[in-house]
């Protein structure tokens, strides 16, 4: 009877609710029994909970405070409401409105007097029950009413009720801390109830736990909501910290103490995750990290050390370590495997033991606890519970022996199940479980700390959590100890998450690591210690990979390795770290779990991305499939061989991993298993490429993944295929020379992806095509110096693009339902090699241009941006740039895009306009006046006006708009400049450039504006001597060349000032004097900078300034002599002479070797070509002869003599050996 009552407790079931089964005669021909689905066979109909709630709510609303039987009726209604299970996972059809729950709770709070303490407890339980199970988001009024009620109950009711009241309050304030600010001053003040009950001096551990949980829920921040006020977060943080620092009270049960620590750790995590957090001064951060490190090992067997109270940022390891183990009995290892096997078998039986579901405990956890645990399980996938796990783990030093003993964790060998009676064993298991939760909470807290700290602060504590290789003695206790030794897969996964967070973004920190040089004996440099730490991480994670049996934790191990590979500087480390990892990962691509396979591909993607091309990875990619990585290789041994063998038949690789697309066609005609000559091996496709192609295109042999069972799907799951396509893209980007032999085959894989219905697969297919096109373009760039024999032949490139453009790419370009796919397809079109585009059929070229022009009118800004950019690429193609009609169509399209609302579209339109203006300048030199005359004057005027408007836009639009302005001003003919329609736009354009040069815009915009003025000065038709805007242009450049903090801007302005080829362009003597003085002053101050990063450009700046000064001397006239003579006669002249001597003697490489390569074009910016010292001396001699021939009188003659004497001394010094 008791059991029957317990079963019917959740809902009362009437006889009418039980489904009636039709009578069935017993016979051999009867149909087999088929159980009804859960939607058909349930205890009660799906709306029972709704009906019960509605019925009780109606009765409750009808009650009044003056009712004679109020207490009895409330008791009955509360019992009925509490008896229902409102969890939607139990019954998805439950549909109780939030406003109905809020209305019921508000009305009930007015009916339950605080004097009736039993009713208060039931009402508080009802609050927790409804809000927790229905996940109610309360309105502000309901929140205010319930918080007021519970806080009043804490003040009025007896202490024995406070546990349930605090539980209800904890549920009410869950994630609502900022909305309860008017009540927090009472709850969190010094004599407030929460601080009183959460104090370490509180003897009642249950009250202390619930109070801490309540404070944690107050600090919890829901995404999208403002954080809790810093004042209350600080108070709560102090309480959590004191709780964790306080020792366990005497005579306190260890389980209760673990629950208190869990609540404090959860609160600490909520404080740190609830917005930006600044640790207090002194040693607060070190104290928190020391606490978390100690709790990371809470209850870990064999750990008995004196923990430091504070961790200090230092490169040296801390002083805690494992005790030195005693020498083992030599006979015990022989018995180890047997014991290990028995223990493993026992633990496996325990795992399979089912636990009852649906039971309700007397004391429920707060909603915060329940949901936090759910969140943790989401972040760290749930695994089998219990103390043991299959396969086990072992000591780091002995794991590599691949013995059954070494793979079993040493912490499990301390006792056998027979040492405890059943109740004692159950208590021990529960204690281990709670200790594991504490360790898990500590790691979550450490993860929150790692995410809230600046990277440079976090890396000060690197050695406390990530050791270098142990030289001798016991290893330190770090995250790696937990990853290798902890019994709980959840705890190991949390430790891996923390390690991943520390490694993520650590590239700049780890860039210091280096161990290629011979080690020093006197001291160990930090770079070597860091390199050793990287090697220790590789060693530990490789051991964890071998020992791990939980698929979820195994996924975390591989992801952590991917973070390590992505950030470690392998070009500064001794080779040999990546080869074992590469081979060790190969069996895992056949793992049963799809998440593991995805993470393996992510790791391979990191391997082929990091510092590509890396010599060690190149060697690994060239290795054939059968060498050094097969399933029979010892280096690839894993304890999960049964889980890895689903793609193998009798020890032979599945045919699905010998892709026909790469082994039976063209240059990839070799079978991966057939012996090859060395020459053939070099041209064979990389094993990784073959693997990825097979994962994308070949069917699976065994649908062992849960998501594929019974669905008829024969290909790999979508995440695996997407990651394989990503790896292929990384391979093409970093190691194109190894992939180019299979160019057409990889293109066919992309074409197959484009034919599929999944937009994600289509998108990655187009991105792969784009990477192929970009790789081909990179090969044909002159600066890469790739010999023609090593490039993909033009004929093959043409064939490749012909097949691609006649295939399903057209469908992707016209797929308006998926704008992202259209965008990627446009980017693919822009990656066609210009030489190959010229050889495509005319109709194919026309199709590309027509599609792009049409897509610029798309309503989606992403598509429009990509189409406008692609046109900006096409306008530079030699086969299209001389086509006036195409140039005009492109210009009109770009002008329309410059007026778009989206700043992204305008930015790409400005970039394309800059490219189009570059084309005009090229055509002006190659085609001549014919092209200028064919292009419409009105179109040029529109382009000039549009670029002027764009120069007042955002910086990313402005930087290319001013580039276009400079080219357009250079392109205009004299007949156009004299027309009245061009007069005002011309002046506006120059003033826009002047304004940009003088503005506070980004430096890239300003140096582009300086270059634009230099380009404009190249146009001989511009009236630089008489135009009113000419003075402003020269003044702006003179000001910038002497005062700008950025040396690159100074370089561009000096180059612009040296562009005019005639003395008349510089105007009167006053303007010429201003230009000369500015350049001389800039040369004198060319080394004055407070920014060390600018100092590297000082040599290039002096080069450009010296060239500009000599240019002014070469065109100077007699009226300039007094000013020039005065400048050269004093101290300024001696400084100029020293710099000019260095410039004239400077070899060509010296002038081009400075800066970042961009300043190597200094001479090009001035309109000249690279010259030798002999040519410079010849130019000086010609200048000297010309000046001597000038006729001067009086002051001009004296100035002329000073200049001539200066040049003679300069020539004498330069000609001396």
């Amino acid at each position: 009877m008791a059991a029957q009552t317990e079963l019917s407790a959740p809902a009362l079931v009437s006889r009418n609710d039980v489904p009636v089964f039709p009578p069935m005669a017993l016979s051999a021909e009867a149909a087999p029994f088929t159980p009804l689905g859960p939607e058909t066979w349930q205890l009660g109909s799906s709306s029972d909970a709704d009906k019960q709630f509605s019925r009780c709510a109606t009765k409750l609303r009808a009650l009044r405070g003056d009712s004679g039987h109020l207490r009895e009726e409330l008791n009955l209604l509360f019992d009925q409401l509490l008896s229902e299970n409102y969890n939607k996972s139990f019954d998805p059809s439950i549909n109780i409105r939030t406003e109905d729950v809020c209305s019921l709770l508000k009305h009930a709070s007015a009916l339950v007097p605080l004097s009736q303490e039993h009713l208060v407890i039931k009402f508080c339980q009802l609050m927790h029950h409804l809000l927790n199970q229905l996940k109610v988001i309360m309105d502000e009024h309901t929140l205010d009413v319930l918080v007021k009620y519970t806080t009043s109950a804490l003040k009025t009711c007896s202490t024995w009720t406070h546990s349930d009241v605090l539980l209800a309050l904890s549920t009410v304030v869950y994630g609502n801390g900022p909305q309860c600010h008017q009540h927090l001053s009472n709850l969190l003040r010094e004599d407030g109830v929460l601080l009183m009950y959460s104090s370490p001096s509180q003897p009642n551990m249950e009250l202390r736990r619930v109070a801490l949980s309540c404070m944690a829920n107050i600090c919890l921040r829901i995404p999208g909501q403002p954080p809790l006020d810093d004042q209350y977060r600080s108070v709560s943080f102090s309480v959590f910290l004191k709780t964790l620092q306080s020792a366990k009270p005497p005579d306190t049960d260890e389980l209760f103490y673990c629950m208190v620590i869990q609540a404090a750790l959860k609160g600490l995590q909520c404080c740190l995750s609830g917005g930006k957090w600044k640790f207090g001064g002194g040693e607060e951060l070190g104290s928190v990290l020391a606490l978390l490190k100690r709790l990371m090992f809470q209850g870990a067997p064999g750990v008995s050390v004196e923990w430091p109270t504070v961790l200090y940022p230092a490169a040296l390891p801390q002083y805690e370590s494992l005790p030195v183990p005693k020498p083992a009995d030599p006979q015990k290892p022989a018995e180890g495997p047997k014991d290990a096997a028995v223990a493993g078998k026992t633990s496996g039986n325990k795992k399979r033991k089912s636990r009852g579901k649906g039971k309700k405990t007397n004391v429920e956890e707060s909603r915060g606890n329940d949901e936090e645990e759910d969140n943790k399980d989401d972040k760290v996938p749930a695994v089998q519970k219990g103390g043991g796990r299959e396969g086990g783990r072992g000591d780091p030093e002995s794991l590599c022996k691949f013995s059954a003993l070494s793979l079993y964790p040493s912490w499990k060998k301390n006792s056998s199940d027979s040492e405890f009676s059943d109740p004692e064993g159950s208590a021990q298991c529960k204690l281990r479980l709670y200790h594991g939760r504490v360790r898990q909470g500590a790691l979550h807290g450490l993860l929150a700390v790692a995410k809230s700290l600046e990277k440079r602060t976090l890396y000060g504590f690197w050695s406390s959590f990530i050791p270098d290789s142990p030289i001798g003695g016991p290893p330190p206790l770090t995250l790696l100890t937990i990853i290798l030794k902890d019994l709980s897969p959840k705890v190991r996964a949390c430790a891996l998450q923390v390690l991943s967070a520390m490694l993520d973004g650590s590239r700049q920190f780890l860039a210091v690591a280096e161990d290629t040089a011979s080690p020093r004996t006197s001291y160990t440099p930090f770079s070597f210690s860091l390199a050793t730490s990287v090697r220790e991480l590789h060693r530990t994670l490789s051991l964890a990979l071998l020992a791990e049996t939980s698929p979820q934790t195994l996924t975390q191990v591989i992801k952590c390795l991917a973070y390590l590979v992505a950030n470690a500087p392998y070009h500064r480390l001794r080779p040999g770290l990546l080869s074992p990892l590469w081979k060790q990962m190969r069996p895992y691509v056949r793992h049963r779990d799809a998440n593991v396979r995805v993470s393996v591909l992510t790791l391979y993607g990191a391997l082929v991305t990091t510092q590509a091309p890396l010599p060690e990875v190149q060697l690994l990619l060239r290795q054939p499939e059968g060498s050094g990585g097969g399933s029979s290789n010892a280096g690839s041994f894993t304890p999960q061989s049964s889980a890895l063998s689903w793609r193998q038949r009798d020890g032979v690789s599945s045919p699905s991993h010998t892709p026909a697309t790469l082994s039976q066609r063209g240059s990839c005609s070799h079978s991966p298993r057939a012996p090859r000559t060395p020459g053939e091996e070099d041209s064979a496709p990389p094993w990784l490429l073959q693997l990825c192609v097979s994962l994308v295109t070949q069917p699976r042999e065994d649908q062992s993944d849960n998501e594929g069972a019974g669905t008829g799907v024969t290909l790999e799951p979508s995440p695996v295929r997407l990651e394989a396509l990503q790896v292929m893209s990384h391979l093409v980007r970093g190691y194109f020379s190894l992939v180019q032999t299979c160019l057409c085959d990889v293109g066919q894989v992309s074409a197959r992806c484009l034919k599929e219905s999944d937009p994600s697969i289509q998108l990655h297919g187009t991105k792969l095509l784009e990477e192929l096109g970009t790789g081909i373009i990179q090969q044909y760039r002159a600066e890469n110096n790739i010999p023609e024999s090593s490039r993909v032949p033009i004929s093959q490139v043409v064939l490749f693009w012909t097949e691609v453009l006649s295939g399903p790419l057209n469908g992707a370009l016209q797929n308006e339902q998926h704008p992202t796919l259209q965008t990627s397809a446009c980017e693919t079109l822009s990656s066609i090699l210009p030489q190959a585009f010229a050889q495509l059929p005319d109709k194919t070229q026309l199709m590309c241009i027509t599609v792009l022009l049409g897509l610029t009118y798309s309503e989606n800004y992403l598509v429009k941006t990509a189409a406008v950019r692609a046109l900006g690429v096409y306008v530079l193609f030699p086969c299209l740039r001389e086509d006036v009609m195409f140039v005009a169509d492109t210009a009109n399209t770009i002008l329309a895009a410059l007026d778009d609302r989206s700043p992204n579209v305008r930015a790409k339109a400005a970039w394309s306009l800059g490219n189009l203006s570059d084309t005009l300048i090229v055509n002006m030199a190659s085609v001549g006046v014919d092209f200028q005359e064919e292009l419409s004057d009105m179109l040029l005027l529109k382009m000039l006006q549009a670029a002027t408007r764009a120069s007042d836009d955002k910086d990313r639009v402005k930087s290319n708009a001013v580039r276009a302005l400079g080219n357009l001003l250079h392109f205009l003919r004299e007949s156009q400049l004299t027309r009245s329609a061009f007069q005002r736009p011309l002046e506006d354009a120059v003033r826009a450039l002047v304004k940009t040069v003088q503005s506070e815009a980004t430096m890239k915009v300003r140096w582009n504006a300086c270059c634009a003025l230099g380009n404009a000065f190249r146009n001989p038709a511009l009236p630089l001597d008489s135009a009113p805007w000419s003075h402003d242009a020269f003044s702006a450049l003179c000001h910038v060349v002497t005062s700008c903090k950025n040396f690159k801007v100074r370089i561009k302005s000096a180059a612009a000032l040296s562009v005019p080829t005639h003395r008349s362009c510089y105007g009167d003597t006053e303007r010429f004097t201003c230009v000369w003085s500015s350049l001389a002053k800039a040369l004198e101050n060319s080394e004055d900078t407070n920014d060390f990063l600018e100092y590297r450009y000082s040599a290039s700046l002096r080069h450009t300034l010296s060239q500009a000064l000599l240019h002014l001397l070469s065109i100077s006239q007699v009226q300039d002599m007094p000013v020039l003579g005065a400048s050269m006669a004093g101290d300024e002249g001696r400084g100029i002479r020293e710099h000019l001597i260095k410039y004239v003697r400077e070899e060509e490489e010296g002038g081009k070797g400075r800066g970042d390569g961009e300043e190597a074009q200094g001479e090009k910016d001035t309109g000249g070509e690279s010259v030798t010292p002999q040519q410079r001396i010849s130019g000086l001699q010609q200048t000297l002869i010309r000046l001597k021939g000038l006729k001067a009188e009086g002051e001009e003659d004296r100035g002329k003599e000073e200049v001539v004497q200066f040049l003679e001394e300069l020539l004498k010094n330069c000609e001396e050996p």
Side-chain angles (χ1 to χ4, degrees), residues 17-28:
D17 291 331
V18 179
V20 179
F21 297 100
M24 178 68 65
L26 296 176
S27 68

Side-chain angles (χ1 to χ4, degrees), residues 400-586:
C400 56
K401 298 178 182 178
F402 307 117
S403 63
L405 172 63
S406 63
L407 292 177
Y408 201 77
S410 59
W411 291 353
K412 281 174 136 184
K413 303 177 192 174
N414 53 7
S415 64
S416 64
D417 292 340
S418 60
E419 293 181 21
F420 300 102
S421 62
D422 288 343
E424 289 174 335
S426 177
Q428 289 292 324
C429 289
K430 194 170 185 180
L431 183 59
R432 283 199 298 268
L433 176 64
Y434 276 67
H435 280 156
R437 289 179 179 175
V438 170
R439 297 196 297 273
Q440 190 175 348
L443 289 165
H444 277 300
L446 183 58
L447 181 62
V449 172
K451 290 182 177 179
S452 64
L453 285 178
E454 291 186 5
K455 290 293 184 181
R456 59 182 179 181
T457 305
L458 177 65
Y459 295 144
F461 299 91
W462 178 274
S463 60
S464 297
F465 298 96
I466 301 175
D468 52 16
S469 181
I471 300 174
L477 296 174
T478 61
L479 286 170
L480 306 187
T481 312
I482 298 174
I483 293 170
L484 283 177
K485 294 281 189 176
D486 202 285
L487 300 179
S488 169
K490 284 189 177 182
V491 176
R492 297 195 301 274
C494 286
L496 288 161
Q497 281 186 327
V498 176
L499 182 56
S500 298
M502 294 182 69
L503 291 172
D504 186 19
S506 63
R507 184 175 302 171
Q508 188 174 1
F509 172 70
L510 293 178
V512 185
E514 184 176 16
D515 65 354
T516 53
S518 57
R520 303 173 184 266
T521 56
S522 57
Y523 72 97
T524 303
F526 177 69
S527 59
F528 186 80
S529 297
L530 208 54
T532 312
S533 179
V534 172
R535 292 188 175 276
E536 178 66 7
L537 283 170
H538 265 276
R539 187 186 74 90
T540 303
L541 292 175
S542 296
L543 293 174
L545 195 66
L546 289 173
E548 192 57 67
T549 56
S550 166
Q552 292 82 6
T553 312
L554 181 63
T555 303
Q556 293 292 333
V557 175
I558 301 172
K559 285 182 178 179
C560 192
L561 278 167
Y563 279 113
L564 174 60
V565 168
N567 290 280
Y570 294 101
H571 61 289
R572 295 169 58 92
L573 303 176
R574 284 182 285 108
L577 280 176
L578 298 180
S579 300
L581 180 61
W582 181 281
K583 297 172 183 178
Q584 189 178 10
M585 293 309 304
R586 291 180 71 159

Side-chain angles (χ1 to χ4, degrees), residues 184-257:
L184 295 182
S185 57
N186 294 326
L187 290 171
L188 296 176
R189 64 187 182 190
E190 289 187 7
D191 58 343
V193 64
L194 287 182
L195 292 188
M196 178 181 68
Y197 283 145
S198 62
S199 170
S201 59
Q202 171 59 237
N204 190 324
M205 300 301 284
E206 177 60 19
L207 277 176
R208 187 176 169 191
R209 181 192 69 82
V210 182
L212 289 169
S213 296
C214 187
M215 293 175 66
N217 288 350
I218 290 174
C219 297
L220 179 68
R221 181 185 181 186
I222 303 297
Q225 289 189 358
L228 185 66
D229 187 82
D230 287 344
Q231 172 190 353
Y232 301 119
R233 279 173 59 191
S234 299
V235 171
S236 303
F237 183 85
S238 300
V239 172
F240 299 138
L241 199 57
K242 288 179 182 177
T243 302
L244 296 174
Q245 288 173 335
S246 61
K248 187 184 78 167
D251 302 328
T252 300
D253 187 75
E254 182 72 17
L255 291 179
F256 279 107
Y257 181 67

